[in-house]
Coordinates of all heavy atoms in Angstrom, one line a residue:
M1 N -33.8 14.5 5.1 CA -33.0 15.0 6.2 C -31.8 14.2 6.4 O -30.6 14.8 6.4 CB -33.8 15.1 7.5 CG -33.2 15.9 8.7 SD -32.9 17.6 8.0 CE -31.9 18.0 9.4
K2 N -31.9 12.9 6.3 CA -30.7 11.9 6.4 C -29.7 12.4 5.4 O -28.5 12.3 5.7 CB -31.2 10.5 6.2 CG -31.1 9.8 7.5 CD -31.4 8.3 7.4 CE -31.4 7.6 8.7 NZ -32.3 6.5 8.5
I3 N -30.1 12.6 4.1 CA -29.2 12.8 3.0 C -28.6 14.1 3.3 O -27.4 14.2 3.2 CB -30.0 12.8 1.7 CG1 -30.5 11.4 1.3 CG2 -29.1 13.3 0.5 CD1 -31.4 11.4 0.2
A4 N -29.3 15.1 3.8 CA -28.7 16.4 4.0 C -27.6 16.3 5.1 O -26.4 16.8 5.0 CB -29.8 17.4 4.4
I5 N -27.8 15.5 6.0 CA -26.9 15.3 7.2 C -25.7 14.6 6.6 O -24.5 15.0 6.9 CB -27.5 14.5 8.4 CG1 -28.5 15.4 9.0 CG2 -26.3 14.0 9.3 CD1 -29.3 14.6 10.1
R6 N -25.8 13.7 5.8 CA -24.7 12.9 5.2 C -23.8 13.8 4.3 O -22.6 13.7 4.4 CB -25.2 11.8 4.4 CG -24.2 10.8 4.1 CD -24.8 9.7 3.3 NE -24.3 8.4 3.9 CZ -24.8 7.2 3.6 NH1 -25.9 7.2 2.9 NH2 -24.3 6.2 4.0
I7 N -24.4 14.6 3.5 CA -23.7 15.5 2.6 C -22.9 16.5 3.5 O -21.7 16.7 3.3 CB -24.6 16.3 1.6 CG1 -25.2 15.4 0.6 CG2 -23.9 17.4 1.0 CD1 -26.4 15.9 -0.2
F8 N -23.5 16.9 4.5 CA -22.8 17.9 5.5 C -21.7 17.2 6.1 O -20.4 17.7 6.2 CB -23.9 18.3 6.6 CG -23.3 19.2 7.6 CD1 -22.9 20.5 7.1 CD2 -23.2 19.1 8.9 CE1 -22.4 21.6 8.1 CE2 -22.7 20.0 9.8 CZ -22.3 21.2 9.3
A9 N -21.8 15.9 6.6 CA -20.7 15.1 7.3 C -19.6 14.9 6.2 O -18.5 15.0 6.6 CB -21.3 13.8 7.7
C10 N -19.9 14.6 5.0 CA -18.8 14.4 4.1 C -18.0 15.7 3.8 O -16.8 15.6 3.7 CB -19.4 14.0 2.7 SG -20.0 12.2 2.8
A11 N -18.6 16.9 3.8 CA -18.0 18.0 3.5 C -17.1 18.4 4.8 O -16.0 18.9 4.5 CB -19.0 19.1 3.4
L12 N -17.5 18.1 6.0 CA -16.8 18.3 7.1 C -15.6 17.3 7.4 O -14.5 17.6 7.8 CB -17.6 18.2 8.4 CG -18.3 19.6 8.9 CD1 -19.0 19.3 10.2 CD2 -17.1 20.5 9.1
F13 N -15.9 16.0 7.0 CA -14.9 15.0 7.4 C -14.6 14.2 6.1 O -15.0 13.0 6.0 CB -15.5 14.0 8.5 CG -15.8 14.7 9.7 CD1 -17.2 14.9 10.0 CD2 -15.0 15.3 10.5 CE1 -17.7 15.5 11.1 CE2 -15.3 16.0 11.7 CZ -16.7 16.2 12.0
P14 N -14.1 14.7 5.0 CA -13.8 14.0 3.8 C -13.0 12.8 3.9 O -13.2 11.8 3.3 CB -13.2 15.1 2.8 CG -12.6 16.2 3.7 CD -13.6 16.1 5.0
H15 N -12.1 12.8 5.0 CA -11.3 11.5 5.1 C -12.1 10.4 5.6 O -11.8 9.3 5.1 CB -10.0 11.8 6.0 CG -10.4 12.5 7.3 ND1 -10.9 13.8 7.4 CD2 -10.4 12.1 8.5 CE1 -11.2 14.1 8.5 NE2 -11.0 13.0 9.4
I16 N -13.0 10.7 6.5 CA -13.9 9.6 6.9 C -14.7 9.0 5.9 O -14.8 7.8 5.8 CB -14.8 10.0 8.2 CG1 -13.7 10.4 9.3 CG2 -15.7 9.0 8.6 CD1 -14.5 11.1 10.4
A17 N -15.3 9.9 5.1 CA -16.3 9.5 4.1 C -15.4 8.7 3.0 O -15.8 7.7 2.5 CB -16.9 10.7 3.4
A18 N -14.1 9.1 2.6 CA -13.4 8.6 1.8 C -13.0 7.2 2.1 O -13.0 6.3 1.4 CB -12.1 9.4 1.4
A19 N -12.6 7.0 3.4 CA -12.2 5.7 3.9 C -13.2 4.6 3.7 O -12.9 3.5 3.4 CB -11.8 5.7 5.3
A20 N -14.5 5.1 3.7 CA -15.6 4.0 3.6 C -15.9 3.7 2.2 O -16.5 2.8 1.9 CB -16.8 4.6 4.2
E21 N -15.3 4.5 1.2 CA -15.7 4.4 -0.2 C -15.0 3.3 -0.9 O -15.5 2.7 -1.8 CB -15.4 5.7 -0.9 CG -16.7 6.5 -1.0 CD -16.4 7.9 -1.5 OE1 -15.4 8.1 -2.3 OE2 -17.1 8.9 -1.0
I22 N -13.7 2.8 -0.5 CA -13.0 1.9 -1.2 C -13.4 0.5 -0.8 O -13.5 0.2 0.4 CB -11.5 2.2 -1.2 CG1 -10.7 0.8 -1.6 CG2 -10.9 2.8 0.0 CD1 -9.2 1.0 -1.9
S23 N -13.8 -0.3 -1.8 CA -14.3 -1.7 -1.5 C -13.1 -2.6 -1.1 O -12.0 -2.4 -1.5 CB -15.1 -2.2 -2.6 OG -14.1 -2.6 -3.7
A24 N -13.5 -3.6 -0.3 CA -12.6 -4.6 0.1 C -11.9 -5.3 -1.1 O -10.6 -5.6 -1.2 CB -13.2 -5.7 0.9
H25 N -12.6 -5.5 -2.2 CA -12.2 -6.1 -3.4 C -11.2 -5.3 -4.1 O -10.2 -5.7 -4.4 CB -13.5 -6.4 -4.3 CG -13.0 -6.8 -5.7 ND1 -12.6 -8.2 -5.9 CD2 -12.8 -6.3 -6.9 CE1 -12.3 -8.4 -7.1 NE2 -12.3 -7.2 -7.8
R26 N -11.4 -4.1 -4.2 CA -10.5 -3.1 -4.9 C -9.2 -3.1 -4.0 O -8.2 -3.0 -4.5 CB -11.1 -1.8 -4.9 CG -10.3 -0.7 -5.5 CD -9.8 -1.0 -7.0 NE -9.0 0.2 -7.5 CZ -8.0 0.0 -8.3 NH1 -7.5 -1.2 -8.7 NH2 -7.2 1.1 -8.7
F27 N -9.5 -3.0 -2.7 CA -8.2 -2.8 -1.8 C -7.2 -4.1 -2.0 O -6.1 -4.0 -2.1 CB -8.6 -2.8 -0.3 CG -7.5 -2.6 0.6 CD1 -6.8 -1.5 0.8 CD2 -7.0 -3.8 1.4 CE1 -5.7 -1.5 1.7 CE2 -5.9 -3.8 2.2 CZ -5.3 -2.5 2.3
D28 N -7.9 -5.3 -2.0 CA -7.2 -6.6 -2.2 C -6.4 -6.6 -3.6 O -5.3 -7.0 -3.6 CB -8.1 -7.7 -2.2 CG -8.5 -8.0 -0.7 OD1 -7.9 -7.4 0.2 OD2 -9.5 -8.8 -0.5
E29 N -7.1 -6.0 -4.6 CA -6.6 -6.0 -5.9 C -5.3 -5.2 -6.0 O -4.3 -5.5 -6.5 CB -7.7 -5.4 -6.8 CG -7.3 -5.4 -8.3 CD -8.5 -4.8 -9.0 OE1 -8.7 -3.6 -9.0 OE2 -9.2 -5.6 -9.7
L30 N -5.4 -4.0 -5.4 CA -4.4 -3.1 -5.3 C -3.1 -3.7 -4.5 O -1.9 -3.7 -4.9 CB -4.7 -1.7 -4.6 CG -5.4 -0.7 -5.4 CD1 -5.9 0.4 -4.5 CD2 -4.6 -0.3 -6.7
K31 N -3.4 -4.1 -3.3 CA -2.5 -4.7 -2.4 C -1.7 -5.9 -3.2 O -0.4 -6.0 -3.0 CB -3.2 -5.3 -1.2 CG -2.2 -5.9 -0.1 CD -2.8 -5.8 1.2 CE -4.0 -6.7 1.3 NZ -3.6 -8.2 1.6
M32 N -2.4 -6.6 -3.9 CA -1.8 -7.7 -4.7 C -0.7 -7.2 -5.7 O 0.4 -7.8 -5.8 CB -2.9 -8.6 -5.4 CG -2.4 -10.0 -5.6 SD -4.0 -10.9 -6.2 CE -4.1 -10.1 -7.9
N33 N -1.2 -6.2 -6.3 CA -0.2 -5.6 -7.3 C 1.0 -4.9 -6.7 O 2.1 -5.4 -7.0 CB -1.0 -4.4 -8.0 CG -1.7 -4.8 -9.1 OD1 -1.5 -5.8 -9.7 ND2 -2.8 -4.0 -9.4
C34 N 0.8 -4.3 -5.6 CA 2.0 -3.7 -4.9 C 3.0 -4.7 -4.3 O 4.1 -4.7 -4.3 CB 1.5 -2.8 -3.7 SG 0.1 -1.6 -4.1
D35 N 2.3 -5.8 -3.6 CA 3.1 -6.9 -3.1 C 3.9 -7.6 -4.0 O 5.0 -8.1 -3.7 CB 2.2 -7.8 -2.4 CG 1.6 -7.4 -0.9 OD1 2.0 -6.2 -0.6 OD2 0.9 -8.1 -0.3
T36 N 3.5 -7.6 -5.3 CA 4.2 -8.4 -6.4 C 5.6 -7.7 -6.5 O 6.6 -8.5 -6.7 CB 3.4 -8.2 -7.7 OG1 2.2 -8.9 -7.5 CG2 4.1 -9.0 -8.9
C37 N 5.7 -6.5 -6.5 CA 7.0 -5.8 -6.6 C 7.7 -5.4 -5.3 O 8.9 -5.5 -5.1 CB 6.9 -4.5 -7.5 SG 6.5 -4.9 -9.2
H38 N 6.8 -4.9 -4.4 CA 7.4 -4.4 -3.1 C 7.6 -5.5 -2.1 O 8.0 -5.2 -1.0 CB 6.6 -3.3 -2.6 CG 6.7 -2.0 -3.4 ND1 7.8 -1.1 -3.3 CD2 6.0 -1.5 -4.5 CE1 7.7 -0.3 -4.2 NE2 6.6 -0.3 -4.9
G39 N 7.2 -6.8 -2.4 CA 7.2 -7.8 -1.4 C 6.0 -7.8 -0.6 O 5.2 -6.9 -0.4
V40 N 5.7 -9.1 0.0 CA 4.5 -9.3 0.7 C 4.6 -8.2 2.0 O 5.4 -8.2 2.7 CB 4.4 -10.7 1.3 CG1 3.3 -11.0 2.3 CG2 4.4 -11.7 0.1
G41 N 3.4 -7.6 2.2 CA 3.2 -6.6 3.2 C 4.1 -5.4 3.0 O 4.4 -4.5 3.8
G42 N 4.8 -5.3 1.8 CA 5.7 -4.1 1.4 C 7.1 -4.4 1.9 O 7.9 -3.4 1.9
V43 N 7.5 -5.6 2.3 CA 8.8 -5.9 2.8 C 9.5 -6.4 1.5 O 9.3 -7.7 1.1 CB 9.0 -6.9 3.9 CG1 10.3 -7.1 4.3 CG2 8.1 -6.3 5.1
S44 N 10.4 -5.6 0.9 CA 11.1 -6.1 -0.3 C 12.1 -7.2 -0.2 O 12.8 -7.3 0.8 CB 11.6 -4.9 -1.0 OG 12.3 -5.2 -2.2
V45 N 12.0 -8.1 -1.3 CA 13.1 -9.1 -1.2 C 14.2 -8.7 -2.2 O 15.4 -9.4 -2.2 CB 12.5 -10.5 -1.6 CG1 11.7 -11.1 -0.6 CG2 11.9 -10.4 -3.0
V46 N 14.1 -7.6 -2.9 CA 15.1 -7.1 -3.7 C 15.2 -5.6 -3.4 O 14.9 -4.8 -4.4 CB 15.0 -7.3 -5.2 CG1 15.3 -8.7 -5.6 CG2 13.5 -7.0 -5.6
P47 N 15.7 -5.2 -2.2 CA 15.5 -3.7 -1.9 C 16.4 -2.8 -2.8 O 16.1 -1.6 -2.8 CB 15.9 -3.7 -0.4 CG 16.5 -5.0 -0.1 CD 16.0 -6.0 -1.1
D48 N 17.5 -3.4 -3.3 CA 18.3 -2.6 -4.3 C 17.5 -2.3 -5.5 O 17.9 -1.2 -6.2 CB 19.7 -3.3 -4.4 CG 19.4 -4.7 -5.0 OD1 18.5 -5.3 -4.6 OD2 20.2 -5.2 -6.0
Q49 N 16.4 -3.0 -5.9 CA 15.8 -2.7 -7.1 C 14.4 -2.0 -6.8 O 14.0 -1.2 -7.5 CB 15.5 -3.9 -7.9 CG 16.7 -4.6 -8.6 CD 16.6 -5.9 -9.0 OE1 15.6 -6.3 -9.5 NE2 17.6 -6.8 -8.8
T50 N 13.7 -2.6 -5.9 CA 12.4 -2.1 -5.4 C 12.5 -1.8 -3.9 O 12.6 -2.8 -3.2 CB 11.3 -3.2 -5.8 OG1 11.4 -3.4 -7.2 CG2 10.0 -2.5 -5.6
P51 N 12.2 -0.6 -3.6 CA 12.3 -0.2 -2.1 C 11.1 -0.9 -1.3 O 10.1 -1.2 -1.8 CB 12.1 1.3 -2.1 CG 11.4 1.6 -3.4 CD 11.8 0.6 -4.4
S52 N 11.5 -1.3 0.0 CA 10.4 -1.6 1.0 C 9.5 -0.5 1.2 O 10.0 0.7 1.4 CB 11.0 -2.2 2.2 OG 11.6 -3.5 2.1
I53 N 8.2 -0.7 1.3 CA 7.4 0.5 1.7 C 6.7 0.1 3.1 O 5.9 1.0 3.6 CB 6.4 0.7 0.6 CG1 5.6 -0.6 0.2 CG2 7.0 1.3 -0.7 CD1 4.4 -0.4 -0.8
A54 N 7.0 -1.0 3.6 CA 6.3 -1.4 4.9 C 6.9 -0.5 6.0 O 8.1 -0.2 6.0 CB 6.7 -2.8 5.2
G55 N 6.0 0.1 6.9 CA 6.5 0.8 8.0 C 6.9 2.3 7.6 O 7.3 2.9 8.5
K56 N 6.9 2.7 6.4 CA 7.2 4.1 6.1 C 6.0 5.0 6.4 O 4.9 4.4 6.7 CB 7.6 4.2 4.6 CG 8.8 3.6 4.3 CD 9.4 3.9 2.9 CE 10.8 3.4 2.7 NZ 11.3 3.4 1.4
S57 N 6.3 6.2 6.7 CA 5.3 7.1 7.1 C 4.1 7.2 6.2 O 4.4 7.2 5.0 CB 5.8 8.5 7.6 OG 5.5 9.3 6.5
E58 N 2.9 7.2 6.7 CA 1.7 7.3 5.8 C 1.7 8.5 5.0 O 1.4 8.5 3.8 CB 0.5 7.3 6.9 CG -0.8 7.2 6.1 CD -2.0 7.1 7.1 OE1 -1.8 6.6 8.3 OE2 -3.1 7.4 6.8
R59 N 2.3 9.7 5.6 CA 2.3 10.8 4.7 C 3.3 10.9 3.7 O 3.1 11.4 2.6 CB 2.7 12.0 5.7 CG 1.6 12.6 6.5 CD 2.1 13.9 7.4 NE 2.6 14.9 6.6 CZ 3.1 16.0 7.1 NH1 3.2 16.1 8.5 NH2 3.6 17.0 6.4
L60 N 4.5 10.2 3.9 CA 5.4 10.0 2.9 C 4.9 9.2 1.7 O 5.1 9.6 0.6 CB 6.7 9.3 3.5 CG 7.8 8.9 2.4 CD1 9.2 9.4 2.8 CD2 7.9 7.5 2.0
L61 N 4.2 8.1 2.1 CA 3.6 7.1 1.1 C 2.6 7.9 0.2 O 2.6 7.8 -1.0 CB 3.0 5.9 1.7 CG 4.0 4.9 2.4 CD1 3.4 3.8 3.1 CD2 5.1 4.4 1.5
V62 N 1.7 8.7 0.9 CA 0.6 9.3 0.1 C 1.4 10.4 -0.7 O 1.0 10.5 -2.0 CB -0.3 10.1 1.1 CG1 -1.1 11.1 0.3 CG2 -1.2 9.1 1.8
A63 N 2.4 11.1 -0.3 CA 3.0 12.2 -1.0 C 3.8 11.5 -2.3 O 3.6 12.0 -3.4 CB 4.0 13.0 -0.2
Q64 N 4.3 10.4 -2.1 CA 5.1 9.8 -3.2 C 4.1 9.3 -4.3 O 4.4 9.4 -5.3 CB 6.1 8.7 -2.6 CG 7.2 9.1 -1.8 CD 8.0 10.3 -2.4 OE1 8.3 10.3 -3.5 NE2 8.1 11.4 -1.7
L65 N 3.1 8.5 -3.7 CA 2.1 8.1 -4.7 C 1.5 9.3 -5.6 O 1.4 9.1 -6.8 CB 1.1 7.3 -4.0 CG 1.6 6.0 -3.5 CD1 0.7 5.3 -2.5 CD2 1.8 4.9 -4.7
K66 N 1.2 10.3 -4.8 CA 0.7 11.5 -5.7 C 1.6 12.1 -6.5 O 1.3 12.6 -7.6 CB 0.1 12.5 -4.7 CG -1.3 12.0 -4.0 CD -2.0 13.0 -3.2 CE -3.3 12.4 -2.7 NZ -3.9 13.2 -1.7
A67 N 2.9 12.1 -6.1 CA 4.0 12.7 -6.9 C 4.2 11.8 -8.2 O 4.4 12.3 -9.3 CB 5.3 12.8 -6.2
F68 N 4.1 10.6 -8.1 CA 4.2 9.6 -9.3 C 3.1 9.9 -10.1 O 3.2 9.8 -11.4 CB 4.3 8.1 -8.8 CG 5.5 7.7 -8.1 CD1 5.5 7.0 -6.9 CD2 6.7 7.7 -8.9 CE1 6.7 6.5 -6.3 CE2 7.9 7.1 -8.4 CZ 7.9 6.6 -7.1
R69 N 1.9 9.9 -9.6 CA 0.7 10.1 -10.3 C 0.6 11.4 -11.2 O 0.3 11.4 -12.3 CB -0.5 10.1 -9.4 CG -1.9 10.1 -10.2 CD -3.1 10.0 -9.3 NE -3.3 11.1 -8.4 CZ -4.1 11.3 -7.6 NH1 -5.0 10.3 -7.3 NH2 -4.3 12.4 -6.7
A70 N 1.2 12.4 -10.5 CA 1.3 13.7 -11.2 C 2.5 13.9 -12.2 O 2.5 14.9 -12.8 CB 1.4 14.8 -10.2
G71 N 3.4 12.9 -12.1 CA 4.6 13.0 -12.9 C 5.6 13.8 -12.3 O 6.6 14.1 -13.0
K72 N 5.4 14.3 -11.2 CA 6.4 15.1 -10.5 C 7.7 14.3 -10.0 O 8.7 14.7 -10.0 CB 5.8 15.8 -9.3 CG 4.9 16.9 -9.6 CD 4.5 17.8 -8.4 CE 3.3 18.6 -8.7 NZ 2.4 18.7 -7.5
R73 N 7.4 13.0 -9.6 CA 8.5 12.0 -9.4 C 8.4 11.1 -10.7 O 7.3 10.5 -10.8 CB 8.3 11.3 -8.0 CG 9.4 10.2 -7.9 CD 9.4 9.7 -6.5 NE 10.3 8.6 -6.4 CZ 10.6 7.9 -5.4 NH1 10.0 8.2 -4.3 NH2 11.4 6.8 -5.4
R74 N 9.3 11.0 -11.4 CA 9.3 10.3 -12.7 C 9.7 8.8 -12.5 O 10.9 8.5 -12.0 CB 10.0 11.0 -13.8 CG 9.6 12.4 -14.0 CD 10.4 13.1 -15.1 NE 10.1 12.5 -16.5 CZ 9.2 13.0 -17.2 NH1 8.4 14.0 -16.7 NH2 8.8 12.5 -18.3
H75 N 8.8 8.0 -12.8 CA 9.1 6.5 -12.9 C 8.0 5.9 -13.6 O 6.9 6.1 -13.3 CB 9.3 6.0 -11.5 CG 9.8 4.6 -11.4 ND1 9.0 3.5 -11.3 CD2 11.0 4.1 -11.6 CE1 9.6 2.3 -11.5 NE2 11.0 2.7 -11.5
D76 N 8.3 5.1 -14.7 CA 7.3 4.7 -15.7 C 6.4 3.7 -14.9 O 5.1 4.0 -15.0 CB 8.0 3.8 -16.8 CG 8.5 4.7 -17.8 OD1 8.4 5.9 -17.7 OD2 9.4 4.3 -18.7
T77 N 6.8 2.8 -14.2 CA 6.0 1.8 -13.5 C 5.0 2.5 -12.4 O 3.7 2.3 -12.5 CB 6.7 0.7 -12.8 OG1 7.5 0.3 -13.9 CG2 5.8 -0.3 -12.3
M78 N 5.7 3.3 -11.5 CA 4.9 3.8 -10.5 C 4.1 5.1 -11.0 O 3.0 5.3 -10.4 CB 5.8 4.4 -9.4 CG 6.4 3.2 -8.5 SD 5.2 2.2 -7.9 CE 4.1 3.3 -7.0
G79 N 4.6 5.6 -12.0 CA 3.6 6.7 -12.7 C 2.3 6.0 -13.1 O 1.2 6.5 -12.9
F80 N 2.6 4.8 -13.8 CA 1.3 4.0 -14.2 C 0.4 3.6 -13.0 O -0.7 3.9 -13.0 CB 1.7 2.9 -15.1 CG 0.6 2.0 -15.4 CD1 -0.2 2.3 -16.5 CD2 0.4 0.8 -14.6 CE1 -1.4 1.5 -16.8 CE2 -0.7 0.0 -15.0 CZ -1.6 0.3 -16.0
M81 N 1.1 3.1 -12.0 CA 0.4 2.5 -10.9 C -0.3 3.7 -10.2 O -1.6 3.6 -9.8 CB 1.4 2.0 -9.8 CG 1.8 0.6 -10.0 SD 0.7 -0.7 -10.5 CE -0.4 -0.6 -9.2
G82 N 0.3 4.8 -10.0 CA -0.3 6.0 -9.4 C -1.6 6.5 -10.2 O -2.6 6.8 -9.7
G83 N -1.4 6.3 -11.6 CA -2.5 6.8 -12.4 C -3.7 6.0 -12.3 O -4.8 6.3 -12.8
T84 N -3.5 4.8 -11.8 CA -4.7 3.9 -11.6 C -5.5 4.2 -10.3 O -6.5 3.5 -10.0 CB -4.3 2.4 -11.7 OG1 -3.6 2.1 -10.6 CG2 -3.6 2.0 -13.0
M85 N -4.9 4.9 -9.5 CA -5.5 5.0 -8.1 C -6.1 6.5 -7.8 O -5.6 7.5 -8.2 CB -4.4 4.8 -7.2 CG -4.1 3.5 -6.9 SD -3.0 3.3 -5.5 CE -1.4 3.5 -6.3
S86 N -7.3 6.4 -7.2 CA -7.9 7.7 -6.8 C -7.3 8.2 -5.5 O -6.5 7.4 -4.8 CB -9.5 7.4 -6.6 OG -9.6 6.5 -5.4
D87 N -7.7 9.3 -5.1 CA -7.1 9.9 -3.7 C -7.6 8.9 -2.7 O -6.7 8.7 -1.8 CB -7.7 11.2 -3.5 CG -7.1 12.4 -4.4 OD1 -6.0 12.0 -5.1 OD2 -7.5 13.5 -4.2
E88 N -8.8 8.4 -2.7 CA -9.2 7.5 -1.6 C -8.4 6.2 -1.7 O -8.1 5.7 -0.5 CB -10.8 7.2 -1.8 CG -11.7 8.4 -1.6 CD -11.7 9.4 -2.8 OE1 -11.3 9.0 -3.9 OE2 -11.9 10.6 -2.6
E89 N -8.1 5.7 -2.8 CA -7.4 4.5 -2.8 C -6.0 4.7 -2.4 O -5.4 3.8 -1.6 CB -7.4 4.0 -4.3 CG -8.8 3.4 -4.6 CD -9.0 3.1 -6.1 OE1 -8.2 3.6 -7.0 OE2 -10.1 2.7 -6.6
I90 N -5.3 5.9 -2.7 CA -4.1 6.1 -2.3 C -4.0 6.3 -0.8 O -3.1 5.6 -0.1 CB -3.5 7.5 -2.9 CG1 -3.0 7.2 -4.4 CG2 -2.3 8.0 -2.1 CD1 -2.7 8.4 -5.2
A91 N -5.0 6.8 -0.1 CA -5.1 7.0 1.3 C -5.2 5.7 1.9 O -4.5 5.4 2.9 CB -6.3 8.0 1.7
A92 N -6.1 4.8 1.4 CA -6.3 3.4 2.0 C -5.0 2.6 1.9 O -4.6 1.9 2.9 CB -7.4 2.7 1.4
I93 N -4.4 2.6 0.9 CA -3.2 1.7 0.6 C -2.0 2.3 1.4 O -1.2 1.4 2.0 CB -2.9 1.6 -1.0 CG1 -2.2 0.2 -1.1 CG2 -2.0 2.7 -1.5 CD1 -3.2 -1.0 -1.2
A94 N -1.9 3.6 1.5 CA -0.8 4.2 2.2 C -1.0 3.9 3.8 O 0.0 3.5 4.4 CB -0.8 5.8 2.0
R95 N -2.2 3.9 4.2 CA -2.5 3.6 5.7 C -2.1 2.2 5.9 O -1.5 1.8 6.9 CB -3.9 3.7 5.9 CG -4.3 3.8 7.4 CD -5.9 4.1 7.6 NE -6.2 5.2 6.9 CZ -7.3 5.2 6.1 NH1 -8.1 4.1 6.0 NH2 -7.7 6.3 5.5
Y96 N -2.5 1.2 5.0 CA -2.0 -0.2 5.2 C -0.6 -0.5 5.2 O -0.1 -1.0 6.2 CB -2.6 -1.0 4.0 CG -2.1 -2.4 4.0 CD1 -2.6 -3.3 4.8 CD2 -1.2 -2.9 3.1 CE1 -2.2 -4.7 4.9 CE2 -0.7 -4.1 3.0 CZ -1.1 -5.0 4.1 OH -0.7 -6.3 4.0
Y97 N 0.1 0.1 4.3 CA 1.6 -0.2 4.3 C 2.3 0.5 5.4 O 3.3 0.1 6.0 CB 2.2 0.2 2.9 CG 1.8 -0.9 1.9 CD1 1.0 -0.7 0.9 CD2 2.5 -2.2 2.1 CE1 0.8 -1.6 0.0 CE2 2.1 -3.2 1.2 CZ 1.2 -3.0 0.1 OH 0.9 -4.0 -0.8
A98 N 1.8 1.7 5.9 CA 2.5 2.4 7.0 C 2.4 1.6 8.2 O 3.2 1.7 9.1 CB 1.8 3.7 7.2
R99 N 1.3 0.8 8.4 CA 1.1 0.0 9.5 C 1.7 -1.3 9.4 O 1.5 -2.2 10.3 CB -0.5 -0.1 9.8 CG -1.0 1.3 10.3 CD -2.4 1.3 10.6 NE -2.9 2.6 10.8 CZ -4.2 3.0 10.8 NH1 -5.2 2.0 10.7 NH2 -4.5 4.2 11.1
S100 N 2.1 -1.7 8.3 CA 2.6 -3.0 8.0 C 4.0 -3.2 8.7 O 4.9 -2.2 8.7 CB 2.8 -3.3 6.6 OG 3.4 -4.5 6.3
K101 N 4.5 -4.3 9.3 CA 5.7 -4.4 9.9 C 6.8 -4.7 9.0 O 6.6 -5.5 8.0 CB 5.7 -5.7 10.9 CG 4.7 -5.4 12.2 CD 5.6 -5.6 13.4 CE 4.9 -5.5 14.8 NZ 4.2 -4.2 14.8
R102 N 8.0 -3.9 9.2 CA 9.1 -4.1 8.2 C 9.8 -5.4 8.6 O 9.9 -5.7 9.7 CB 10.1 -3.0 8.2 CG 9.8 -1.8 8.9 CD 10.9 -0.8 8.8 NE 10.5 0.5 9.4 CZ 10.9 1.6 9.0 NH1 11.8 1.8 8.1 NH2 10.4 2.7 9.7
Ligands
HEC1 C1 5.9 -3.5 -11.4 C2 6.5 -3.2 -10.1 C3 5.9 -2.2 -9.2 C4 4.5 -2.3 -8.7 C5 3.5 -3.1 -9.2 C6 4.5 -1.3 -7.7 N1 5.6 -0.7 -7.6 FE1 6.0 0.9 -6.3 N2 7.8 1.0 -6.9 C7 8.5 0.2 -7.9 C8 9.9 0.7 -8.1 C9 10.7 -0.1 -9.1 C10 10.0 1.7 -7.3 C11 11.3 2.6 -7.1 C12 11.1 3.9 -8.1 C13 12.3 4.7 -8.1 O1 13.4 4.3 -8.2 O2 12.0 6.0 -8.2 C14 8.8 2.0 -6.6 C15 8.6 3.0 -5.7 C16 7.5 3.2 -4.9 C17 7.3 4.1 -3.7 C18 8.3 5.1 -3.4 C19 9.1 4.6 -2.1 C20 10.0 5.5 -1.5 O3 10.7 5.2 -0.4 O4 10.2 6.7 -2.0 C21 6.2 3.9 -3.2 C22 5.5 4.7 -2.1 C23 5.5 2.8 -4.0 N3 6.4 2.3 -5.0 C24 4.2 2.4 -3.6 C25 3.6 1.4 -4.5 C26 2.1 0.9 -4.2 C27 1.3 1.4 -3.1 C28 2.0 0.1 -5.2 C29 0.6 -0.6 -5.4 C30 -0.6 0.2 -5.7 C31 3.1 -0.1 -5.9 N4 4.2 0.7 -5.5 C32 3.3 -1.0 -7.1 C33 7.8 -1.0 -8.4 C34 6.5 -1.2 -8.3

């Protein structure tokens, strides 16, 4: 019965289920990569080369990461980065940078 309820809950609230799926380790690993180019917390030190992503809207960040992943927005590095991320990981990382102070 418990399992049935869980499956039902996942179908109804996929975003909640997804948020719980990404491990702290994986999140830290991703964040470290992004910070290397985009600056600590997403505040770029070379904004003319790599844009700041701190404080940008969560929807914009998710949309751009998915566009890079799909090759709709073309950029070698970000295409690669996007390709390494699942929907759940994109959601978690976008939420983090959207809440980061610019
Ligand atoms: C090796 C460097 C590098 C790494 C690592 C990297 N990025 Fe980027 N990112 C860039 C560059 C350069 C651009 C600008 C692309 C362009 O000109 O279209 C960019 C663009 C973006 C954009 C679009 C911003 C906008 O305003 O449209 C987002 C969102 C983004 N990166 C998120 C991330 C996230 C999240 C990670 C970590 C998972 C990450 N990036 C890792 C270099 C990097």
